[in-house]
Amino acid sequence: MKDAAYFLCSSCGSQYEPEGVVYTCPKDDANLEYVPDFSRIARAIRLTELQTRAEPSLWRYLPFLPVGDPGAHGTPLRQAGWTPLYRAGRLAAKTGVRALWVKDESSNPTASFKDRASAVVVARAREIGAEIVVTASSGNAGAALAGMAAAVEQRSIILVPRTAPQAKIAQLLVFGAEVILVDGTYDDAFDLSLAASRLYGWYCRNTGYNPFTLEGKKTAAYEIWEQLSADRFSWDTQPLTVFVSVGDGNIIAGIHKGFRELVQLGWLRNMPRLLGVQAEGSAAVANAYRLGVETITAVKADTIADSISVGLPRDGLRALRAATQTGGAYLTVSDAMILEAIADLGRMGIFAEPAGAAAYAGMVAAAGSGLVGADDAVVVVNTGSGLKDIHSAMQAVGQAPIIAPNLQALEKNLRRTR
Ligand SMILES: *Cc1c(COP(=O)(O)O)cnc(C)c1O
Ligand SMILES: [Zn+2]
């Protein structure tokens, strides 16, 4: 282990100085991974001290991150992360697993997991004095960048498909970002944003392309570890399985990295099993898993879950390895299963957007096929809020009756069931 941080290419293994590279590996364009200085972390923070930290945000893990303290106290940038881990006893009983928790990322400042990445990228942008930060997005990454940037008066430009859910586009506009609607797919917007950032010298946040996104996302693993420990989870004796929905694959790769770092620090003995869940209509990583290959072949993406509707995953290899290196697996779920999952989570007080509910849909499928069962403790990550896509939410549940304002009509329409 080196005693200083560096960037490691996830494909060819080349190492780079932290200040020497900005995006992907100069040799083969593969994703770069930040390797922190573990001895510095161990010096900077003790386990017991971490667990009593007063900072209820991802910034409690500052020594693990490749950025300095961003300040920004009292702003949404400072508030990203430290989302609740809810117990889901009824759904555990329903699916037959030993215990179930839902990590609810909808309570992030802009209501999705993407705030973790955008908070760290914006902190980095300020360190390098970037004038403009650009991102391609299916909606949430853009909303997160726009919100985090607004919090510290950083300028941002967001390229989203014109088909993105209206609520997400509204968020972008309200946060004051320069919003460009692309008449094409997320993949089209991605390619365009790369070309534009090269041409105009903008700092590019793109998921998987900018190595700092993974760094923000890994903090969710630290939190799951801390929160389960506080819930007296016995890591040494109970196997943990974590379900994550996968589009570009950056979230599952980040969660994998977070757990790996805890293992390397000696703070976690048993690596959790990571289960990646993709929509049937957008399953490039799941296809590679099924075929047993590490080549990710692009698909033509088509699913109700817009946040995981990705033709060519930009972090596909690491996303695949998150499952294969932890004894996990990949599953696919139909749009119908995703809608059912929205309703199931809703009945425990959690409002998920389709891509967030997909992880729970995968967990239901896994329980059905015996991939998880009575021996397993499970965490399902809900990655985004249902308020972001109420059109899909309304498809998941029945219509409410409309009645005349009198008791007779009310009596006739009451269901009083459930
Ligand atoms: C981005 C996103 C995902 C998928 O994350 P990837 O890193 O692209 O795999 C899942 N759910 C929601 C709500 C998202 O915004
Ligand atoms: Zn390389």
Side-chain angles (χ1 to χ4, degrees), residues 227-304:
Q227 290 169 322
L228 279 182
S229 303
D231 211 1
R232 293 206 220 100
F233 182 73
S234 56
W235 288 94
D236 292 340
T237 55
Q238 300 183 61
L240 182 70
T241 304
V242 183
F243 285 82
V244 186
S245 60
V246 173
D248 274 316
N250 198 235
I251 291 180
I252 196 170
I255 288 176
H256 185 207
K257 183 171 196 268
F259 283 129
R260 267 190 288 136
E261 289 178 353
L262 293 173
V263 170
Q264 275 167 289
L265 277 164
W267 292 358
L268 173 64
R269 207 159 339 147
N270 290 329
M271 184 71 195
R273 195 162 58 129
L274 299 185
L275 276 275
V277 184
Q278 293 206 284
E280 274 171 7
S282 176
V285 185
N287 290 344
Y289 176 82
R290 192 168 36 82
L291 296 169
V293 297
E294 284 206 327
T295 322
I296 314 283
T297 307
V299 297
K300 198 168 177 326
D302 179 21
T303 167
I304 191 176

Side-chain angles (χ1 to χ4, degrees), residues 56-240:
S57 77
L58 63 81
W59 298 108
R60 69 199 280 108
Y61 306 111
L62 193 57
F64 299 74
L65 297 173
V67 291
D69 191 327
H73 291 276
T75 75
L77 177 73
R78 195 77 198 189
Q79 208 54 48
W82 201 249
T83 55
L85 183 72
Y86 293 125
R87 289 187 194 169
R90 205 178 56 76
L91 293 182
K94 184 175 167 182
T95 49
V97 296
R98 176 163 164 177
L100 177 64
W101 293 264
V102 178
K103 178 72 170 161
D104 189 12
E105 293 292 303
S106 71
S107 70
N108 272 298
T110 79
S112 88
F113 198 110
K114 298 295 196 297
D115 280 351
R116 296 181 185 274
S118 290
V120 172
V121 170
V122 168
R124 177 65 178 168
R126 296 173 93 210
E127 282 181 353
I128 62 175
E131 208 171 303
I132 291 177
V133 189
V134 66
T135 198
S137 171
S138 60
N140 285 336
L145 173 58
M148 296 298 130
V152 294
E153 294 178 50
Q154 168 78 50
R155 287 174 63 198
S156 64
I157 298 179
I158 317 292
L159 302 177
V160 287
R162 62 180 291 190
T163 52
Q166 285 293 302
K168 295 182 182 179
I169 295 173
Q171 268 187 305
L172 299 173
L173 293 165
V174 165
F175 290 140
E178 183 166 343
V179 182
I180 311 280
L181 302 182
V182 178
D183 189 10
T185 62
Y186 167 62
D187 297 84
D188 294 330
F190 197 103
D191 293 338
L192 179 60
S193 67
L194 285 191
S197 72
R198 285 186 195 124
L199 182 63
Y200 301 118
W202 299 334
Y203 185 49
C204 184
R205 177 221 173 272
N206 279 12
T207 295
Y209 176 67
N210 186 319
F212 289 82
T213 62
L214 194 80
E215 293 305 301
K217 288 172 174 179
K218 73 182 183 184
T219 58
Y222 306 156
E223 289 177 21
I224 290 169
W225 163 74
E226 260 201 87
Q227 290 169 322
L228 279 182
S229 303
D231 211 1
R232 293 206 220 100
F233 182 73
S234 56
W235 288 94
D236 292 340
T237 55
Q238 300 183 61
L240 182 70

Side-chain angles (χ1 to χ4, degrees), residues 298-324:
V299 297
K300 198 168 177 326
D302 179 21
T303 167
I304 191 176
D306 62 292
S307 298
I308 51 171
S309 184
V310 175
L312 178 64
R314 306 295 167 152
D315 211 346
L317 179 59
R318 288 191 298 196
L320 180 65
R321 289 177 179 169
T324 56

Side-chain angles (χ1 to χ4, degrees), residues 8-16 24-32:
L8 175 70
C9 174
S10 57
S11 178
C12 73
S14 293
Q15 297 181 9
Y16 301 95
T24 52
C25 176
K27 290 183 190 153
D28 54 19
D29 217 24
N31 298 105
L32 290 182

